Amino acid sequence: MIKITFPDKQVKEFPKGVTGIEIAQSISSQLAKQVLSITVNGELWDASRKINTDAEINLHTWKDEEGKHAFWHSSAHIMAEALESLYPGIKFGIGPTIDNGFYYDVDLGDDRVISENDFQKIEKKVAELVSQKNIFDRQEVSKDEALSFFTTKNDEYKLELISELEDGTISFYKQGKFTDLCRGPHLPNTGYVKAFKLLSIAGAYWRGDEHRKQLTRLYGISFPKQKMLTEYLTMLEEAKKRDHRKIGKDLELFTFSSRVGMGLPLWLPKGAQLRERLENFLKKVQKQYGYEPVITPHIGQKELYVTSGHYAKYGKDSFQPIHTPADDEEFLLKPMNCPHHCEIYKSKPRSYKDLPVRFAEFGTVYRYEQHGELHGLTRVRGFTQDDAHIFCTPDQLSDEFMKVIDIVLYIFKTLNFKDFITQVSLRDPNSPEKYIGSDENWYKAEKAIQDAVKEKGLNAVVEHGEAAFYGPKLDFIVKDALGRKWQLGTIQVDYNLPERFELEYIGTDNQKHRPVMIHRAPFGSMERFVAVLIEHTSGKFPLWLTPDQAVVIPVSEKFTDYAKNVLNILNNSDIRTIIDNRNEKVGRKIRDNELKRIPFLLIVGEQEVENNTISVRKQGGEDIGKMTIKEFTDLINKEVEDQLEEIN
């Protein structure tokens, strides 16, 4: 017999060789049907794999990320088996799970292609394989055996992956007629997949290297119930309507130009005004918390980023150095603001009496993202961070960190991001080479974050391996109106950059000490934040933020002068208003301006001119009725005031 310890620390004895499914069966037959994978002594396993020693376990269902991982990774293997059946000789790269579903990179050869027209036959083949309920059989082989297997298949991609593995046992998984290199875990059999859908197709360079062959990437998703797939596809249709790229174009917020360059957004007047209001909102909050504005250049000497460690860690993702023609100097487009802020701190002597020092900047930075990774405003090559760096004493760290949490929570409340989670991102204990600094400093930084999170009562999840290279962080992950997760605000504790830049302050003992540094960006980046805000609100921004609060619509040309008079009065009253005096029917004008998400439509015709009034229609079709311009101005101001008062 072996002892199995459950998450609640309850211990039960089971026969040696028991599986996760059998353990679940001992609890309830319903649970046994739902278990998709199991954690055994901290390692993810197949739910059907035999346990031969005492172990601490955790059973995972569809409700758990670990359960979804097994489900979707198994589905990727089923899709690969279908592809191998339909396209003999196909070669496989990698097929990981992603936030929603999975993908597989494949090489069809030079004379074959897959298009969306082929999706139906692939899905039909997947359905056939699912119905066979083939077992996912884990097989452990030596490295030589693994290389021999894929040499026979002439699959250079798997051979490359295997060659990088350490000598020892390597795991294969076989289901039906398909065998793949994989660490698992997988479902007990293919029959668990009740709904499968191919979503899209794209090109992807092998290993993300644009100098290597471009493979075909097939994206898919699967579910344990058909109803779940139907609901997901409905959500996707709604997501298309909310796509920030489409709405941004409709509302004339931003654009891109191939002449300017891929991933470099151009903010149009309305988008620039929206950004400005967001910036002013945060600047007001920052002023209340004692932040001082600074401005730094868009470039810096390469040595600056060598000192900070950014060049070693992100040099490949940066634009190539700029060489000056006369002097032997190298400059980089700024990938981060923090090294510049360190130099500002260092510009004069500091005392403990001066701390904390809080520098804030809406600083534009540049990263060389690959073509295939660029996506609207969410993944760009030039973006503006709402960046700030706090330099404080160790004793001030906890209080300062919690104040930043307060700022982030206030912003989320203001912009109606009610559903969010927090994540404490720590080092990967198995990969110390990924980080800079001493273990002692990392321990202090990680403890400071965990203590602050506990003090604030945040129910944070802990993720090892997600820390920045210079320090741990607290990430805020919001769910939008469709339930999609977006990582936005972040707060990081850093003992390392102050050491690298030799930052100092004179303490109460009249000796030199190192300050602690807090990096924070509540929005994350203006580009990404605006993109998420667009998709969360479907472009229907709060009245205080929206680019245009009202549009004046004359019913015909002869009322244009009166409409212009209304326009001038409202704009002079700080009501952001435009006019639609196109030679179009009034119904068309109303429909077009509804699509522009303008909150109030002001119709003016003969009666309005005679009575010196406007007919007010609210976004969505609600007819408010006739009122004077003064009454409408009061209405707008009251609604804005109520919105901001509710926040405060």
Side-chain angles (χ1 to χ4, degrees):
M1 302 292 282
I2 58 173
K3 293 180 179 179
I4 298 296
T5 304
F6 291 84
D8 62 0
K9 303 306 178 184
Q10 183 181 5
V11 180
K12 290 185 178 181
E13 288 192 344
F14 290 89
K16 185 177 180 180
V18 69
T19 67
I21 293 177
E22 290 169 341
I23 294 172
Q25 182 68 46
S26 73
I27 300 171
S28 78
S29 58
Q30 187 64 28
L31 179 60
K33 295 175 184 177
Q34 295 175 351
V35 168
L36 303 176
S37 65
I38 180 173
T39 295
V40 179
N41 293 331
E43 184 180 350
L44 272 176
W45 279 27
D46 311 307
S48 55
R49 188 173 169 184
K50 294 181 178 181
I51 305 171
N52 293 312
T53 61
D54 293 348
E56 293 184 2
I57 64 109
N58 197 352
L59 301 168
H60 305 300
T61 69
W62 178 260
K63 295 179 181 179
D64 306 310
E65 293 299 320
E66 297 89 344
K68 288 187 177 73
H69 170 79
F71 197 96
W72 283 335
H73 196 49
S74 300
S75 300
H77 278 231
I78 299 170
M79 180 177 73
E81 183 180 5
L83 291 170
E84 190 171 65
S85 174
L86 295 170
Y87 303 91
I90 190 173
K91 299 173 185 178
F92 295 94
I94 58 172
T97 62
I98 52 179
D99 286 344
N100 285 294
F102 53 88
Y103 68 78
Y104 221 125
D105 290 340
V106 300
D107 183 354
L108 292 151
D110 296 331
D111 57 344
R112 294 188 299 193
V113 295
I114 292 178
S115 71
E116 291 187 3
N117 295 330
D118 300 306
F119 282 8
Q120 189 173 358
K121 72 175 181 182
I122 298 171
E123 290 168 355
K124 183 178 179 181
K125 187 64 180 179
V126 167
E128 177 188 325
L129 297 172
V130 164
S131 68
Q132 294 172 4
K133 299 184 179 180
N134 293 318
I135 292 172
F136 283 94
D137 181 27
R138 178 185 173 89
Q139 302 172 350
E140 295 188 349
V141 300
S142 68
K143 186 173 182 178
D144 286 342
E145 289 173 318
L147 289 170
S148 176
F149 179 84
F150 282 104
T151 298
T152 303
K153 296 190 72 171
N154 195 29
D155 191 328
E156 64 266 31
Y157 306 106
K158 296 297 183 184
L159 289 172
E160 180 177 326
L161 294 172
I162 294 169
S163 68
E164 296 172 359
L165 298 175
E166 295 180 2
D167 292 340
T169 301
I170 291 173
S171 59
F172 279 7
Y173 276 85
K174 182 178 186 296
Q175 92 274 359
K177 298 178 180 179
F178 181 73
T179 301
D180 202 357
L181 168 73
C182 187
R183 70 177 60 175
H186 284 285
L187 300 172
N189 65 67
T190 62
Y192 278 60
V193 179
K194 304 299 183 184
F196 176 94
K197 182 72 176 175
L198 282 171
L199 298 175
S200 62
I201 192 168
Y205 294 107
W206 172 236
R207 309 299 288 270
D209 186 344
E210 59 189 77
H211 301 294
R212 305 190 70 177
K213 185 167 183 177
Q214 188 176 61
L215 306 181
T216 299
R217 176 170 292 180
L218 282 163
Y219 288 92
I221 198 162
S222 59
F223 294 93
K225 295 180 181 179
Q226 181 63 42
K227 180 185 176 184
M228 292 180 176
L229 175 60
T230 302
E231 291 171 348
Y232 180 77
L233 295 177
T234 301
M235 185 276 290
L236 283 187
E237 286 303 311
E238 181 61 27
K240 287 180 183 178
K241 297 175 187 175
R242 291 171 177 258
D243 191 322
H244 75 276
R245 294 168 298 177
K246 177 183 182 300
I247 293 176
K249 182 178 180 180
D250 292 343
L251 302 189
E252 299 178 0
L253 300 178
F254 60 88
T255 189
F256 289 89
S257 164
S258 59
R259 291 186 180 223
V260 173
M262 295 178 66
L264 299 172
L266 300 170
W267 290 89
L268 303 176
K270 293 183 189 299
Q273 293 163 21
L274 175 71
R275 262 187 60 157
E276 184 179 40
R277 275 186 286 279
L278 283 170
E279 289 183 11
N280 289 340
F281 160 68
L282 183 53
K283 284 177 181 177
K284 183 178 178 181
V285 175
Q286 288 176 164
K287 187 175 182 180
Q288 295 169 351
Y289 279 83
Y291 286 81
E292 299 175 288
V294 296
I295 298 174
T296 60
H298 289 248
I299 64 173
Q301 287 213 47
K302 176 183 172 183
E303 188 59 34
L304 177 70
Y305 309 111
V306 171
T307 300
S308 69
H310 288 100
Y311 187 77
K313 293 293 179 180
Y314 299 124
K316 293 180 181 179
D317 297 324
S318 299
F319 286 91
Q320 290 301 304
I322 304 166
H323 297 271
T324 56
D327 304 317
D328 187 20
E329 291 183 295
E330 281 187 300
F331 290 85
L332 288 179
L333 287 171
K334 179 172 61 174
M336 292 281 189
N337 296 303
C338 35
H340 296 250
H341 291 191
C342 286
E343 289 298 308
I344 292 177
Y345 177 91
K346 201 175 180 180
S347 64
K348 69 176 186 179
R350 309 278 178 178
S351 160
Y352 73 93
K353 296 178 181 178
D354 302 320
L355 302 186
V357 172
R358 309 177 187 94
F359 295 139
E361 175 182 19
F362 287 88
T364 301
V365 297
Y366 303 89
R367 313 269 176 82
Y368 185 73
E369 303 286 357
Q370 295 182 22
H371 292 188
E373 300 295 328
L374 299 174
H375 182 81
L377 293 181
T378 59
R379 197 71 178 266
V380 290
R381 288 175 169 170
F383 55 94
T384 302
Q385 293 179 308
D386 58 320
D387 221 349
H389 296 93
I390 302 167
F391 302 88
C392 62
T393 69
D395 290 343
Q396 295 167 336
L397 176 59
S398 178
D399 187 52
E400 288 299 308
F401 196 93
M402 287 191 286
K403 286 178 181 177
V404 179
I405 291 176
D406 289 338
I407 292 176
V408 176
L409 297 181
Y410 177 74
I411 289 170
F412 285 0
K413 182 180 178 183
T414 302
L415 294 166
N416 201 32
F417 287 112
K418 297 177 180 178
D419 192 359
F420 64 90
I421 61 172
T422 51
Q423 174 180 302
V424 176
S425 299
L426 307 178
R427 284 182 301 174
D428 180 352
N430 299 315
S431 302
E433 72 282 354
K434 292 165 56 178
Y435 311 97
I436 61 174
S438 68
D439 289 341
E440 179 186 0
N441 283 344
W442 271 92
Y443 171 77
K444 289 189 291 187
E446 291 177 340
K447 185 176 186 303
I449 291 180
Q450 290 170 313
D451 288 349
V453 165
K454 185 178 181 180
E455 179 73 19
K456 280 294 179 183
L458 298 176
N459 187 23
V461 298
V462 176
E463 288 291 343
H464 292 273
E466 295 298 319
F469 75 91
Y470 48 78
K473 57 182 180 171
L474 176 65
D475 292 324
F476 291 80
I477 301 165
V478 303
K479 282 188 179 181
D480 67 12
L482 297 181
R484 297 170 300 177
K485 294 178 181 178
W486 303 88
Q487 195 271 308
L488 291 178
T490 185
I491 319 171
Q492 303 164 359
V493 175
D494 183 2
Y495 280 83
N496 293 308
L497 287 192
E499 284 194 0
R500 284 179 163 252
F501 282 93
E502 299 179 335
L503 305 184
E504 298 173 340
Y505 68 91
I506 302 299
T508 56
D509 57 0
N510 210 32
Q511 299 298 311
K512 293 179 179 179
H513 299 272
R514 290 264 186 263
V516 186
M517 191 173 176
I518 298 175
H519 307 244
R520 49 114 281 197
F523 288 150
S525 82
M526 299 304 296
E527 286 72 15
R528 184 178 174 82
F529 192 86
V530 169
V532 175
L533 186 61
I534 289 171
E535 300 203 5
H536 180 56
T537 63
S538 193
K540 297 175 182 178
F541 304 114
L543 190 59
W544 66 270
L545 181 62
T546 192
D548 298 316
Q549 294 172 319
V551 56
V552 185
I553 302 174
V555 298
S556 70
E557 286 185 16
K558 63 182 180 180
F559 305 113
T560 298
D561 288 342
Y562 180 73
K564 288 181 178 178
N565 184 51
V566 172
L567 175 75
N568 290 333
I569 293 173
L570 291 175
N571 279 328
N572 288 333
S573 301
D574 291 329
I575 308 298
R576 298 186 293 276
T577 312
I578 61 173
I579 188 171
D580 187 348
N581 55 4
R582 295 175 299 157
N583 186 23
E584 294 282 358
K585 292 182 178 180
V586 68
R588 172 66 182 273
K589 292 181 182 181
I590 290 173
R591 285 193 300 273
D592 289 349
N593 286 290
E594 284 273 0
L595 291 174
K596 290 180 179 179
R597 279 82 165 172
I598 299 176
F600 291 96
L601 284 62
L602 313 179
I603 318 299
V604 296
E606 187 172 349
Q607 289 185 2
E608 287 76 21
V609 172
E610 288 178 0
N611 299 316
N612 199 27
T613 60
I614 51 179
S615 290
V616 182
R617 177 189 176 99
K618 204 165 186 179
Q619 167 71 226
E622 180 186 352
D623 187 1
I624 296 179
K626 290 181 173 57
M627 59 179 64
T628 66
I629 299 173
K630 173 66 167 57
E631 288 171 335
F632 177 70
T633 301
D634 291 342
L635 173 72
I636 290 279
N637 289 333
K638 179 69 165 56
E639 188 164 327
V640 169
E641 184 181 321
D642 287 347
Q643 285 181 357
L644 297 178
E645 191 174 300
E646 183 180 337
I647 296 161
N648 296 319

